[in-house]
Amino acid sequence: FDMFFLAFVERLFRPTFKKDDFVLGKKLGEGAFGVVYRASLTKKPSSKVPYQKEGDLVLKKATEYGAVEIWMNERVRRACANSCADFVHGFLENSSKKGAEYWLIWRYEGEATLYDLMQSKEFPYNVETMIVKEVQDLPRGLERENRIIQTIMRQLLFALDGLHSTGIVHRDIKPQNIIFSEGSRTFKIIDLGAAADLRVGINYIPKEFLLDPRYAAPEQYIMSTQTPSAPSAPVATALSPVLWQMNLPDRFDIYSTGLIFLQMAFSGLRSDSALIQFNRQLKRCDYDLNAWRKSVEPRASSDLRKGFELLDLDGGIGWELLTSMVRYKAGQRISAKGALANPYFDREGLLVLSLMQ
Ligand code: ADP
Ligand code: MG
């Protein structure tokens, strides 16, 4: 009851918007379930309303799945606002010729996703200049790259821990769905279109077609098939903490995050084709990263060797963390909170880096 009451009060005091309040700008993305545009407010609805500069907003016109995405974004804003892009408003827009559409509005966080940044030859140095005010005095090399990757991983796991502690599993964690917020100089998660809220049982669409096979954990479904797909709220609220313990559905996101860590460490695995090939190799090794390493290391390219070297720094704590995230059995994977407590994030250098932010 409290949750719904608070949600109601919160909505009363927040500005709401309608279709005519927005002018569309450049198209930012188009998927099977919606189109995303940069957008601006047409006129000042009130002097208290923020986001009045041109291009301050992002607008997604979504299909029927937009209803779930609005729910997830509302919940995130109340429970773990810093984990995801700032959500402004969501509503059902009926006047379109195409029939009902859901419109979702966020603050425009910045122009680059982690995917865009990872495509650059400069990665991870191009990120360093964005997350810290002054570049480190370390010479360019593995140590410095490792520190930047640590910072990105820490921000990512922090955001993910926020979602998971709220009871939300994202299910589509990938570099394309991680935006760099220029305002807070941190990475935030976007695209809750495939997310599941386990505390309240909003979980309609665990269809495999929604999952990106490049980043999906081998279990594919986050809950056992015995789980009702859209249980009514009171039943689900009573059941879900138990289900959470039994199935550890959050570990689905951890696997995907592990693959992102891998791609950051190994420049040769950043392309789609290389990732797909890696996935095939890992499957042949029964999802055992150590076995994969044994099979590729003897004839490794310099790219691969460099990745192993980076993860082997400081007694191999990076490799240890990676292997605790990318495991076949969900129950054997570390949690986001557990990963943040990993010695990989304990280092003095990291503290310096975060103080500089
Ligand atoms: P899709 O369902 O098309 O994947 P996303 O929510 O992932 O929709 O958004 C598509 C793209 O739009 C993202 O990859 C990103 O480039 C951009 N984008 C989405 N939200 C924001 C935001 N809040 N700020 C800046 N860019 C965004
Ligand atoms: Mg997306």
Side-chain angles (χ1 to χ4, degrees):
F1 172 78
D2 276 358
M3 201 176 97
F4 291 103
F5 181 70
L6 284 175
F8 173 74
V9 171
E10 207 251 346
R11 285 207 71 138
L12 263 183
F13 289 100
R14 207 153 30 81
T16 58
F17 299 97
K18 57 186 188 311
K19 186 183 181 201
D20 296 339
D21 294 333
F22 304 102
V23 199
L24 302 198
K26 187 179 166 235
K27 192 191 279 189
L28 298 175
E30 177 158 16
F33 306 99
V35 191
V36 180
Y37 303 89
R38 196 159 176 185
S40 317
L41 287 175
T42 37
K43 56 177 181 338
K44 282 190 172 184
S46 115
S47 59
K48 289 203 187 90
V49 174
Y51 320 115
Q52 296 192 9
K53 282 206 235 80
E54 189 173 329
D56 262 356
L57 300 170
V58 167
L59 165 72
K60 184 187 267 191
K61 297 185 185 180
T63 61
E64 65 271 26
Y65 296 118
V68 181
E69 199 173 345
I70 292 174
W71 161 274
M72 296 296 164
N73 277 281
E74 296 272 359
R75 191 140 155 60
V76 163
R77 187 183 39 212
R78 291 190 303 274
C80 54
N82 296 328
S83 289
C84 295
D86 271 7
F87 187 59
V88 177
H89 189 56
F91 57 94
L92 178 62
E93 172 47 45
N94 266 317
S95 65
S96 146
K97 289 192 193 78
K98 292 180 209 146
E101 273 178 345
Y102 288 93
W103 285 34
L104 293 91
I105 324 288
W106 294 267
R107 175 203 295 278
Y108 178 80
E109 296 280 1
E111 64 177 1
T113 63
L114 181 56
Y115 179 83
D116 302 325
L117 294 162
M118 278 169 55
Q119 295 312 299
S120 162
K121 269 205 155 54
E122 275 292 292
F123 185 86
Y125 298 108
N126 57 341
V127 174
E128 179 178 41
T129 55
M130 298 169 91
I131 51 184
V132 296
K133 293 204 182 72
E134 292 158 60
V135 295
Q136 302 170 66
D137 41 12
L138 272 176
R140 283 199 171 202
L142 284 180
E143 281 275 349
R144 186 157 147 198
E145 288 181 28
N146 189 38
R147 289 194 192 183
I148 304 165
I149 292 171
Q150 278 172 345
T151 304
I152 301 170
M153 280 302 288
R154 186 169 45 88
Q155 293 185 352
L156 203 50
L157 286 163
F158 186 79
L160 207 54
D161 180 39
L163 281 184
H164 292 168
S165 305
T166 303
I168 295 174
V169 185
H170 186 282
R171 296 197 290 194
D172 199 15
I173 293 291
K174 56 184 176 184
Q176 292 87 339
N177 285 339
I178 295 160
I179 190 89
F180 185 74
S181 169
E182 289 167 10
S184 64
R185 290 172 175 257
T186 58
F187 286 93
K188 294 181 173 184
I189 294 167
I190 57 172
D191 201 354
L192 296 163
D197 187 329
L198 292 134
R199 307 241 159 132
V200 200
I202 302 259
N203 178 34
Y204 310 136
I205 37 171
K207 299 274 188 317
E208 63 273 43
F209 69 84
L210 266 175
L211 304 175
D212 190 317
R214 292 166 303 180
Y215 292 90
E219 68 267 23
Q220 305 286 318
Y221 302 96
I222 57 157
M223 304 285 266
S224 80
T225 48
Q226 290 145 28
T227 311
S229 59
S232 64
V235 175
T237 307
L239 274 177
S240 55
V242 178
L243 289 177
W244 189 280
Q245 286 298 316
M246 280 169 42
N247 294 274
L248 299 166
D250 56 312
R251 306 301 201 274
F252 188 87
D253 292 342
I254 293 296
Y255 188 95
S256 312
T257 308
L259 291 190
I260 297 174
F261 187 17
L262 179 97
Q263 287 189 298
M264 291 199 287
F266 295 93
S267 59
L269 298 181
R270 285 180 202 152
S271 73
D272 275 355
S273 55
L275 180 61
I276 290 165
Q277 195 196 354
F278 165 82
N279 285 336
R280 260 190 247 122
Q281 292 172 348
L282 188 64
K283 194 173 175 185
R284 258 187 259 124
C285 298
D286 292 321
Y287 296 92
D288 179 343
L289 261 183
N290 284 306
W292 172 77
R293 179 170 185 166
K294 279 205 193 90
S295 77
V296 298
E297 206 167 18
R299 50 191 171 78
S301 62
S302 64
D303 276 352
L304 275 186
R305 272 205 307 276
K306 211 183 124 196
F308 288 126
E309 250 178 81
L310 184 145
L311 294 167
D312 283 346
L313 290 171
D314 307 304
I317 49 178
W319 178 256
E320 209 281 317
L321 176 63
L322 178 67
T323 52
S324 67
M325 299 177 80
V326 181
R327 282 193 179 141
Y328 181 75
K329 286 197 171 142
Q332 289 177 1
R333 287 174 217 146
I334 199 166
S335 68
K337 222 186 269 320
L340 284 169
N342 189 282
Y344 182 64
F345 297 109
D346 259 4
R347 304 177 51 239
E348 217 182 310
L350 189 78
L351 183 68
V352 172
L353 201 62
S354 63
L355 288 174
M356 283 159 70
Q357 280 183 29

mmCIF file of all heavy atoms in Angstrom, residues 28-37 57-58 60 69 85-86 106-113 116 172 174-180 190-193, ligand 1:
data_model
loop_
_atom_site.group_PDB
_atom_site.id
_atom_site.type_symbol
_atom_site.label_atom_id
_atom_site.label_comp_id
_atom_site.label_asym_id
_atom_site.label_seq_id
_atom_site.Cartn_x
_atom_site.Cartn_y
_atom_site.Cartn_z
ATOM 1 N N LEU A 28 17.608 8.581 -32.558
ATOM 2 C CA LEU A 28 18.782 8.016 -31.868
ATOM 3 C C LEU A 28 18.841 6.505 -31.975
ATOM 4 O O LEU A 28 19.900 5.895 -31.827
ATOM 5 C CB LEU A 28 18.760 8.397 -30.378
ATOM 6 C CG LEU A 28 18.829 9.890 -30.034
ATOM 7 C CD1 LEU A 28 18.680 10.091 -28.538
ATOM 8 C CD2 LEU A 28 20.140 10.481 -30.525
ATOM 9 N N GLY A 29 17.702 5.891 -32.207
ATOM 10 C CA GLY A 29 17.706 4.429 -32.274
ATOM 11 C C GLY A 29 16.355 3.913 -32.695
ATOM 12 O O GLY A 29 15.339 4.599 -32.551
ATOM 13 N N GLU A 30 16.353 2.714 -33.248
ATOM 14 C CA GLU A 30 15.099 2.101 -33.638
ATOM 15 C C GLU A 30 15.218 0.595 -33.427
ATOM 16 O O GLU A 30 16.112 -0.049 -33.964
ATOM 17 C CB GLU A 30 14.798 2.404 -35.114
ATOM 18 C CG GLU A 30 13.528 1.732 -35.594
ATOM 19 C CD GLU A 30 12.937 2.406 -36.819
ATOM 20 O OE1 GLU A 30 13.637 3.197 -37.477
ATOM 21 O OE2 GLU A 30 11.767 2.122 -37.114
ATOM 22 N N GLY A 31 14.333 0.057 -32.592
ATOM 23 C CA GLY A 31 14.323 -1.380 -32.366
ATOM 24 C C GLY A 31 12.980 -1.954 -32.765
ATOM 25 O O GLY A 31 12.129 -1.240 -33.295
ATOM 26 N N ALA A 32 12.791 -3.229 -32.466
ATOM 27 C CA ALA A 32 11.539 -3.895 -32.822
ATOM 28 C C ALA A 32 10.366 -3.348 -32.000
ATOM 29 O O ALA A 32 9.216 -3.469 -32.394
ATOM 30 C CB ALA A 32 11.676 -5.387 -32.612
ATOM 31 N N PHE A 33 10.670 -2.721 -30.840
ATOM 32 C CA PHE A 33 9.595 -2.329 -29.928
ATOM 33 C C PHE A 33 9.459 -0.826 -29.743
ATOM 34 O O PHE A 33 8.725 -0.372 -28.883
ATOM 35 C CB PHE A 33 9.793 -3.013 -28.576
ATOM 36 C CG PHE A 33 9.936 -4.501 -28.718
ATOM 37 C CD1 PHE A 33 11.179 -5.091 -28.706
ATOM 38 C CD2 PHE A 33 8.809 -5.284 -28.928
ATOM 39 C CE1 PHE A 33 11.306 -6.473 -28.873
ATOM 40 C CE2 PHE A 33 8.936 -6.652 -29.105
ATOM 41 C CZ PHE A 33 10.188 -7.250 -29.078
ATOM 42 N N GLY A 34 10.161 -0.057 -30.577
ATOM 43 C CA GLY A 34 10.020 1.385 -30.427
ATOM 44 C C GLY A 34 11.076 2.163 -31.188
ATOM 45 O O GLY A 34 12.050 1.603 -31.688
ATOM 46 N N VAL A 35 10.832 3.466 -31.276
ATOM 47 C CA VAL A 35 11.774 4.376 -31.921
ATOM 48 C C VAL A 35 12.157 5.444 -30.903
ATOM 49 O O VAL A 35 11.309 5.912 -30.141
ATOM 50 C CB VAL A 35 11.135 5.065 -33.150
ATOM 51 C CG1 VAL A 35 12.205 5.794 -33.965
ATOM 52 C CG2 VAL A 35 10.401 4.064 -34.024
ATOM 53 N N VAL A 36 13.441 5.811 -30.884
ATOM 54 C CA VAL A 36 13.934 6.765 -29.894
ATOM 55 C C VAL A 36 14.442 8.027 -30.598
ATOM 56 O O VAL A 36 15.180 7.936 -31.579
ATOM 57 C CB VAL A 36 15.066 6.132 -29.049
ATOM 58 C CG1 VAL A 36 15.589 7.126 -28.017
ATOM 59 C CG2 VAL A 36 14.574 4.866 -28.359
ATOM 60 N N TYR A 37 14.025 9.187 -30.116
ATOM 61 C CA TYR A 37 14.430 10.471 -30.694
ATOM 62 C C TYR A 37 14.999 11.369 -29.613
ATOM 63 O O TYR A 37 14.603 11.288 -28.455
ATOM 64 C CB TYR A 37 13.219 11.229 -31.265
ATOM 65 C CG TYR A 37 12.427 10.496 -32.294
ATOM 66 C CD1 TYR A 37 11.358 9.673 -31.916
ATOM 67 C CD2 TYR A 37 12.708 10.640 -33.648
ATOM 68 C CE1 TYR A 37 10.600 9.006 -32.858
ATOM 69 C CE2 TYR A 37 11.957 9.974 -34.607
ATOM 70 C CZ TYR A 37 10.914 9.160 -34.204
ATOM 71 O OH TYR A 37 10.163 8.492 -35.135
ATOM 72 N N LEU A 57 15.951 16.478 -23.946
ATOM 73 C CA LEU A 57 15.177 15.268 -23.654
ATOM 74 C C LEU A 57 15.395 14.162 -24.679
ATOM 75 O O LEU A 57 15.896 14.391 -25.779
ATOM 76 C CB LEU A 57 13.683 15.615 -23.612
ATOM 77 C CG LEU A 57 13.265 16.645 -22.568
ATOM 78 C CD1 LEU A 57 11.827 17.068 -22.793
ATOM 79 C CD2 LEU A 57 13.444 16.098 -21.150
ATOM 80 N N VAL A 58 14.978 12.980 -24.276
ATOM 81 C CA VAL A 58 14.946 11.826 -25.164
ATOM 82 C C VAL A 58 13.525 11.268 -25.102
ATOM 83 O O VAL A 58 12.935 11.192 -24.026
ATOM 84 C CB VAL A 58 15.965 10.747 -24.704
ATOM 85 C CG1 VAL A 58 15.723 9.421 -25.403
ATOM 86 C CG2 VAL A 58 17.379 11.216 -24.948
ATOM 87 N N LYS A 60 10.958 8.105 -26.355
ATOM 88 C CA LYS A 60 10.785 6.790 -26.985
ATOM 89 C C LYS A 60 9.302 6.590 -27.254
ATOM 90 O O LYS A 60 8.474 6.740 -26.356
ATOM 91 C CB LYS A 60 11.299 5.674 -26.065
ATOM 92 C CG LYS A 60 11.240 4.277 -26.707
ATOM 93 C CD LYS A 60 11.601 3.154 -25.720
ATOM 94 C CE LYS A 60 13.070 2.816 -25.777
ATOM 95 N NZ LYS A 60 13.415 1.574 -25.038
ATOM 96 N N GLU A 69 7.729 -0.775 -19.475
ATOM 97 C CA GLU A 69 8.909 0.076 -19.391
ATOM 98 C C GLU A 69 8.618 1.332 -18.552
ATOM 99 O O GLU A 69 9.476 1.797 -17.803
ATOM 100 C CB GLU A 69 9.393 0.436 -20.805
ATOM 101 C CG GLU A 69 10.837 0.917 -20.802
ATOM 102 C CD GLU A 69 11.412 1.131 -22.199
ATOM 103 O OE1 GLU A 69 10.810 0.651 -23.190
ATOM 104 O OE2 GLU A 69 12.461 1.783 -22.285
ATOM 105 N N ALA A 85 19.133 6.302 -16.451
ATOM 106 C CA ALA A 85 18.891 7.633 -16.997
ATOM 107 C C ALA A 85 17.669 8.239 -16.295
ATOM 108 O O ALA A 85 16.715 7.535 -15.994
ATOM 109 C CB ALA A 85 18.653 7.538 -18.501
ATOM 110 N N ASP A 86 17.731 9.556 -16.060
ATOM 111 C CA ASP A 86 16.647 10.288 -15.378
ATOM 112 C C ASP A 86 15.347 10.183 -16.162
ATOM 113 O O ASP A 86 15.257 10.699 -17.278
ATOM 114 C CB ASP A 86 17.001 11.781 -15.327
ATOM 115 C CG ASP A 86 17.788 12.118 -14.094
ATOM 116 O OD1 ASP A 86 18.164 11.180 -13.378
ATOM 117 O OD2 ASP A 86 18.029 13.321 -13.878
ATOM 118 N N TRP A 106 12.910 10.887 -21.154
ATOM 119 C CA TRP A 106 14.024 10.950 -20.202
ATOM 120 C C TRP A 106 14.810 12.232 -20.434
ATOM 121 O O TRP A 106 14.697 12.859 -21.489
ATOM 122 C CB TRP A 106 15.017 9.798 -20.429
ATOM 123 C CG TRP A 106 14.528 8.436 -20.162
ATOM 124 C CD1 TRP A 106 14.630 7.730 -19.003
ATOM 125 C CD2 TRP A 106 13.876 7.546 -21.103
ATOM 126 N NE1 TRP A 106 14.089 6.471 -19.160
ATOM 127 C CE2 TRP A 106 13.624 6.327 -20.430
ATOM 128 C CE3 TRP A 106 13.497 7.655 -22.435
ATOM 129 C CZ2 TRP A 106 13.003 5.241 -21.046
ATOM 130 C CZ3 TRP A 106 12.872 6.580 -23.051
ATOM 131 C CH2 TRP A 106 12.631 5.387 -22.357
ATOM 132 N N ARG A 107 15.645 12.548 -19.463
ATOM 133 C CA ARG A 107 16.641 13.593 -19.686
ATOM 134 C C ARG A 107 17.663 13.044 -20.698
ATOM 135 O O ARG A 107 18.026 11.877 -20.653
ATOM 136 C CB ARG A 107 17.356 13.924 -18.376
ATOM 137 C CG ARG A 107 18.500 14.911 -18.531
ATOM 138 C CD ARG A 107 19.475 14.773 -17.380
ATOM 139 N NE ARG A 107 18.869 15.140 -16.110
ATOM 140 C CZ ARG A 107 18.758 16.399 -15.692
ATOM 141 N NH1 ARG A 107 19.224 17.379 -16.431
ATOM 142 N NH2 ARG A 107 18.212 16.664 -14.529
ATOM 143 N N TYR A 108 18.109 13.887 -21.596
ATOM 144 C CA TYR A 108 19.193 13.498 -22.508
ATOM 145 C C TYR A 108 20.481 13.473 -21.698
ATOM 146 O O TYR A 108 20.926 14.510 -21.185
ATOM 147 C CB TYR A 108 19.288 14.498 -23.667
ATOM 148 C CG TYR A 108 20.417 14.207 -24.622
ATOM 149 C CD1 TYR A 108 20.302 13.230 -25.609
ATOM 150 C CD2 TYR A 108 21.615 14.921 -24.543
ATOM 151 C CE1 TYR A 108 21.339 12.961 -26.479
ATOM 152 C CE2 TYR A 108 22.665 14.658 -25.421
ATOM 153 C CZ TYR A 108 22.514 13.685 -26.382
ATOM 154 O OH TYR A 108 23.549 13.421 -27.249
ATOM 155 N N GLU A 109 21.058 12.289 -21.534
ATOM 156 C CA GLU A 109 22.205 12.159 -20.618
ATOM 157 C C GLU A 109 23.540 12.479 -21.290
ATOM 158 O O GLU A 109 24.488 12.870 -20.622
ATOM 159 C CB GLU A 109 22.270 10.735 -20.054
ATOM 160 C CG GLU A 109 21.070 10.354 -19.184
ATOM 161 C CD GLU A 109 21.173 10.891 -17.755
ATOM 162 O OE1 GLU A 109 22.155 11.564 -17.428
ATOM 163 O OE2 GLU A 109 20.245 10.619 -16.975
ATOM 164 N N GLY A 110 23.614 12.272 -22.590
ATOM 165 C CA GLY A 110 24.877 12.501 -23.284
ATOM 166 C C GLY A 110 24.888 11.746 -24.585
ATOM 167 O O GLY A 110 23.982 10.965 -24.867
ATOM 168 N N GLU A 111 25.932 11.972 -25.397
ATOM 169 C CA GLU A 111 25.860 11.422 -26.748
ATOM 170 C C GLU A 111 26.429 10.014 -26.878
ATOM 171 O O GLU A 111 26.200 9.357 -27.886
ATOM 172 C CB GLU A 111 26.531 12.375 -27.740
ATOM 173 C CG GLU A 111 28.012 12.552 -27.485
ATOM 174 C CD GLU A 111 28.677 13.457 -28.521
ATOM 175 O OE1 GLU A 111 27.972 13.945 -29.406
ATOM 176 O OE2 GLU A 111 29.891 13.647 -28.426
ATOM 177 N N ALA A 112 27.163 9.536 -25.869
ATOM 178 C CA ALA A 112 27.869 8.271 -26.069
ATOM 179 C C ALA A 112 27.384 7.144 -25.170
ATOM 180 O O ALA A 112 27.221 7.321 -23.960
ATOM 181 C CB ALA A 112 29.366 8.494 -25.846
ATOM 182 N N THR A 113 27.159 6.003 -25.777
ATOM 183 C CA THR A 113 26.947 4.793 -24.984
ATOM 184 C C THR A 113 28.321 4.139 -24.788
ATOM 185 O O THR A 113 29.293 4.481 -25.482
ATOM 186 C CB THR A 113 26.029 3.787 -25.703
ATOM 187 O OG1 THR A 113 26.668 3.366 -26.912
ATOM 188 C CG2 THR A 113 24.671 4.400 -26.012
ATOM 189 N N ASP A 116 29.543 2.918 -28.090
ATOM 190 C CA ASP A 116 30.213 3.920 -28.932
ATOM 191 C C ASP A 116 31.655 4.122 -28.463
ATOM 192 O O ASP A 116 32.584 4.179 -29.274
ATOM 193 C CB ASP A 116 29.487 5.278 -28.859
ATOM 194 C CG ASP A 116 28.028 5.174 -29.274
ATOM 195 O OD1 ASP A 116 27.721 4.375 -30.177
ATOM 196 O OD2 ASP A 116 27.180 5.887 -28.683
ATOM 197 N N ASP A 172 18.780 -7.139 -20.299
ATOM 198 C CA ASP A 172 19.338 -6.737 -21.592
ATOM 199 C C ASP A 172 20.561 -5.843 -21.384
ATOM 200 O O ASP A 172 20.720 -4.815 -22.036
ATOM 201 C CB ASP A 172 18.248 -6.023 -22.414
ATOM 202 C CG ASP A 172 18.578 -5.972 -23.913
ATOM 203 O OD1 ASP A 172 19.475 -6.715 -24.362
ATOM 204 O OD2 ASP A 172 17.935 -5.183 -24.629
ATOM 205 N N LYS A 174 23.995 -4.636 -21.944
ATOM 206 C CA LYS A 174 24.991 -4.688 -23.020
ATOM 207 C C LYS A 174 25.510 -3.273 -23.226
ATOM 208 O O LYS A 174 24.869 -2.307 -22.766
ATOM 209 C CB LYS A 174 24.364 -5.244 -24.295
ATOM 210 C CG LYS A 174 23.132 -4.501 -24.798
ATOM 211 C CD LYS A 174 22.548 -5.204 -26.015
ATOM 212 C CE LYS A 174 21.263 -4.546 -26.474
ATOM 213 N NZ LYS A 174 20.644 -5.271 -27.592
ATOM 214 N N PRO A 175 26.657 -3.127 -23.880
ATOM 215 C CA PRO A 175 27.257 -1.785 -23.995
ATOM 216 C C PRO A 175 26.319 -0.761 -24.641
ATOM 217 O O PRO A 175 26.358 0.419 -24.302
ATOM 218 C CB PRO A 175 28.492 -2.029 -24.866
ATOM 219 C CG PRO A 175 28.846 -3.468 -24.636
ATOM 220 C CD PRO A 175 27.532 -4.172 -24.456
ATOM 221 N N GLN A 176 25.451 -1.209 -25.527
ATOM 222 C CA GLN A 176 24.495 -0.306 -26.193
ATOM 223 C C GLN A 176 23.468 0.252 -25.203
ATOM 224 O O GLN A 176 22.835 1.271 -25.491
ATOM 225 C CB GLN A 176 23.726 -1.050 -27.298
ATOM 226 C CG GLN A 176 24.550 -1.479 -28.498
ATOM 227 C CD GLN A 176 25.218 -2.833 -28.322
ATOM 228 O OE1 GLN A 176 25.399 -3.312 -27.198
ATOM 229 N NE2 GLN A 176 25.615 -3.446 -29.412
ATOM 230 N N ASN A 177 23.276 -0.428 -24.085
ATOM 231 C CA ASN A 177 22.283 0.010 -23.099
ATOM 232 C C ASN A 177 22.927 0.634 -21.867
ATOM 233 O O ASN A 177 22.340 0.667 -20.793
ATOM 234 C CB ASN A 177 21.374 -1.156 -22.709
ATOM 235 C CG ASN A 177 20.363 -1.470 -23.801
ATOM 236 O OD1 ASN A 177 20.070 -0.614 -24.643
ATOM 237 N ND2 ASN A 177 19.832 -2.679 -23.801
ATOM 238 N N ILE A 178 24.153 1.119 -22.037
ATOM 239 C CA ILE A 178 24.829 1.830 -20.951
ATOM 240 C C ILE A 178 25.229 3.191 -21.488
ATOM 241 O O ILE A 178 25.993 3.294 -22.446
ATOM 242 C CB ILE A 178 26.048 1.021 -20.474
ATOM 243 C CG1 ILE A 178 25.546 -0.292 -19.864
ATOM 244 C CG2 ILE A 178 26.849 1.811 -19.454
ATOM 245 C CD1 ILE A 178 26.578 -1.345 -19.801
ATOM 246 N N ILE A 179 24.652 4.246 -20.908
ATOM 247 C CA ILE A 179 24.881 5.596 -21.436
ATOM 248 C C ILE A 179 25.839 6.328 -20.514
ATOM 249 O O ILE A 179 25.789 6.144 -19.297
ATOM 250 C CB ILE A 179 23.540 6.363 -21.587
ATOM 251 C CG1 ILE A 179 23.706 7.675 -22.355
ATOM 252 C CG2 ILE A 179 22.891 6.664 -20.238
ATOM 253 C CD1 ILE A 179 23.554 7.550 -23.831
ATOM 254 N N PHE A 180 26.713 7.125 -21.104
ATOM 255 C CA PHE A 180 27.568 7.964 -20.273
ATOM 256 C C PHE A 180 26.841 9.264 -19.977
ATOM 257 O O PHE A 180 26.510 10.026 -20.887
ATOM 258 C CB PHE A 180 28.918 8.245 -20.937
ATOM 259 C CG PHE A 180 29.823 9.008 -20.014
ATOM 260 C CD1 PHE A 180 30.416 8.360 -18.940
ATOM 261 C CD2 PHE A 180 30.019 10.365 -20.166
ATOM 262 C CE1 PHE A 180 31.216 9.058 -18.038
ATOM 263 C CE2 PHE A 180 30.808 11.075 -19.268
ATOM 264 C CZ PHE A 180 31.416 10.414 -18.209
ATOM 265 N N ILE A 190 20.319 2.143 -19.295
ATOM 266 C CA ILE A 190 19.090 2.561 -19.977
ATOM 267 C C ILE A 190 18.345 1.330 -20.498
ATOM 268 O O ILE A 190 18.845 0.212 -20.404
ATOM 269 C CB ILE A 190 19.363 3.532 -21.152
ATOM 270 C CG1 ILE A 190 20.331 2.919 -22.172
ATOM 271 C CG2 ILE A 190 19.886 4.860 -20.641
ATOM 272 C CD1 ILE A 190 20.472 3.750 -23.451
ATOM 273 N N ASP A 191 17.182 1.558 -21.060
ATOM 274 C CA ASP A 191 16.406 0.539 -21.777
ATOM 275 C C ASP A 191 15.877 -0.571 -20.856
ATOM 276 O O ASP A 191 16.364 -1.708 -20.865
ATOM 277 C CB ASP A 191 17.259 -0.062 -22.907
ATOM 278 C CG ASP A 191 16.401 -0.713 -23.975
ATOM 279 O OD1 ASP A 191 15.166 -0.796 -23.778
ATOM 280 O OD2 ASP A 191 16.951 -1.150 -24.999
ATOM 281 N N LEU A 192 14.876 -0.220 -20.065
ATOM 282 C CA LEU A 192 14.268 -1.195 -19.158
ATOM 283 C C LEU A 192 13.134 -1.954 -19.841
ATOM 284 O O LEU A 192 12.251 -2.512 -19.186
ATOM 285 C CB LEU A 192 13.751 -0.479 -17.906
ATOM 286 C CG LEU A 192 14.850 0.170 -17.047
ATOM 287 C CD1 LEU A 192 14.263 1.194 -16.086
ATOM 288 C CD2 LEU A 192 15.633 -0.882 -16.276
ATOM 289 N N GLY A 193 13.157 -1.987 -21.173
ATOM 290 C CA GLY A 193 12.076 -2.605 -21.945
ATOM 291 C C GLY A 193 11.948 -4.107 -21.756
ATOM 292 O O GLY A 193 10.888 -4.677 -22.012
HETATM 293 P P1 ADP B 1 15.954 0.559 -27.922
HETATM 294 O O1 ADP B 1 14.740 -0.171 -27.463
HETATM 295 O O2 ADP B 1 15.828 1.116 -29.309
HETATM 296 O O3 ADP B 1 17.217 -0.222 -27.736
HETATM 297 P P2 ADP B 1 17.034 2.432 -25.934
HETATM 298 O O4 ADP B 1 16.261 2.837 -24.735
HETATM 299 O O5 ADP B 1 18.171 1.497 -25.738
HETATM 300 O O6 ADP B 1 15.987 1.866 -26.999
HETATM 301 O O7 ADP B 1 17.541 3.744 -26.661
HETATM 302 C C1 ADP B 1 18.135 3.694 -27.953
HETATM 303 C C2 ADP B 1 19.361 4.591 -28.021
HETATM 304 O O8 ADP B 1 18.995 5.943 -27.737
HETATM 305 C C3 ADP B 1 20.427 4.256 -27.010
HETATM 306 O O9 ADP B 1 21.302 3.250 -27.453
HETATM 307 C C4 ADP B 1 21.125 5.582 -26.824
HETATM 308 O O10 ADP B 1 22.056 5.794 -27.867
HETATM 309 C C5 ADP B 1 19.998 6.584 -26.981
HETATM 310 N N1 ADP B 1 19.438 6.961 -25.662
HETATM 311 C C6 ADP B 1 18.443 6.343 -24.977
HETATM 312 N N2 ADP B 1 18.178 6.956 -23.802
HETATM 313 C C7 ADP B 1 19.026 8.018 -23.741
HETATM 314 C C8 ADP B 1 19.243 9.074 -22.785
HETATM 315 N N3 ADP B 1 18.543 9.171 -21.642
HETATM 316 N N4 ADP B 1 20.187 10.011 -23.063
HETATM 317 C C9 ADP B 1 20.901 9.946 -24.206
HETATM 318 N N5 ADP B 1 20.741 8.989 -25.146
HETATM 319 C C10 ADP B 1 19.827 8.026 -24.931
#
